[in-house]
Amino acid sequence: MLQQNELWKELEQFHIVHDDVPIGAFLEKDLSKLLLLVKERTKAEQLYVMGSILMRHVAFLFIAQLFILSKYRVKWTGDVSQVRVIDRFLNDRWAPQWSLSNEKWIRVKTEQDVKETIQRLICQDCRRIVQAVAAETNSSPLVLWENIWGYVLWMYVQLLQQGEDISSRARHDLDYLLDPVTWKDIERTSPFQRFLNGQTPEDAMANYARVTCCSYYQIPGNEKCSYCPKNNHTCLS
C-alpha cells in the first residue's frame, strides 16, 4: 500500500486536501452558507442552479474515495460530517477544495468490506447530501445524481485502462454501483443505471451525453455544454 502522504498527494487531482487546521464551512451542517458562497463566487441567481453547481464540486469528494478504493483497496476512516470546504479559484474559475480531517487510510481486506465501503460512501453519505441539496434548493435529485455520474464514469473508465488488477477491481466496483440489488430498500434502482442508455461504460464515455441539464449555462459567461440534452431537445429535467 502507498504511504499516507503519497495517497494524499494523489488525491489532490480531485481537489482533496489533508488539513489539520479547522477552516471553512462544514459540508453538511453549513449547507446554507455553502450555497451563499456558490452564489457569491458564480453569480448564480436561481437556487436550483446553485444546488447543481455545488453538487458538481461535491462529487469530487466521493469520486476521490471511490478512486482510491478501486486502485489501492484502502478507505478513509473519517466522517463526511467533518469535511470542510476551502474557498479557492483556479485559472479564474471557482474550484473549491475539500479538507478532510486528520484520519487514516486503512486497507480494505475483504469483499464484504469493499461493498460496505461503497454503500456507505454513495448509498448513504452521498445520497444524504443529494437529498439535502435537493430539498434546500428545490432541485431535481436526478440532475444532482447525474452531476456525480459524469465524474464517476470518467474516473472508472480511466481505471479500466490501467493494469489487469486495477481494471478488474474498477469493473467490479462499478458493476456493484450499477446493480439494483445494491440499492434495495434505498432507491428503486441504481440512480446511475439510466444514464448509461444501454451502453457499456467505455461507449458511454466515448459518446458522452447527458439526459438532464446541469444549468451550467445559467452561470454568467457560460454557454451550454456540447453534450447538453437541451441542444437536441431530449432533456429530462
Side-chain angles (χ1 to χ4, degrees), residues 25-43:
F26 284 105
L27 171 59
E28 283 198 283
K29 63 184 180 183
D30 295 332
L31 182 56
S32 59
K33 292 182 181 178
L34 286 180
L35 290 169
L36 286 175
L37 181 62
V38 173
K39 180 177 183 179
E40 180 180 340
R41 295 296 184 250
T42 67
K43 310 307 179 186

Side-chain angles (χ1 to χ4, degrees), residues 36 72 110 121 231:
L36 286 175
Y72 301 113
T110 68
L121 279 174
N231 290 329

Side-chain angles (χ1 to χ4, degrees), residues 63-115:
I63 305 311
Q65 293 182 73
L66 291 175
F67 171 83
I68 293 296
L69 178 66
S70 289
K71 190 170 183 179
Y72 301 113
R73 279 298 184 252
V74 295
K75 65 180 180 180
W76 181 55
T77 59
D79 192 316
V80 70
S81 67
Q82 298 304 308
V83 172
R84 292 176 180 260
V85 66
I86 298 176
D87 188 18
R88 182 188 69 151
F89 277 84
L90 183 65
N91 298 325
D92 297 323
R93 290 185 178 273
W94 188 57
Q97 293 175 307
W98 300 103
S99 174
L100 306 190
S101 58
N102 188 24
E103 301 294 342
K104 301 292 185 181
W105 293 90
I106 62 173
R107 183 168 296 282
V108 176
K109 297 181 178 180
T110 68
E111 171 77 6
Q112 185 59 31
D113 197 5
V114 170
K115 292 181 177 179

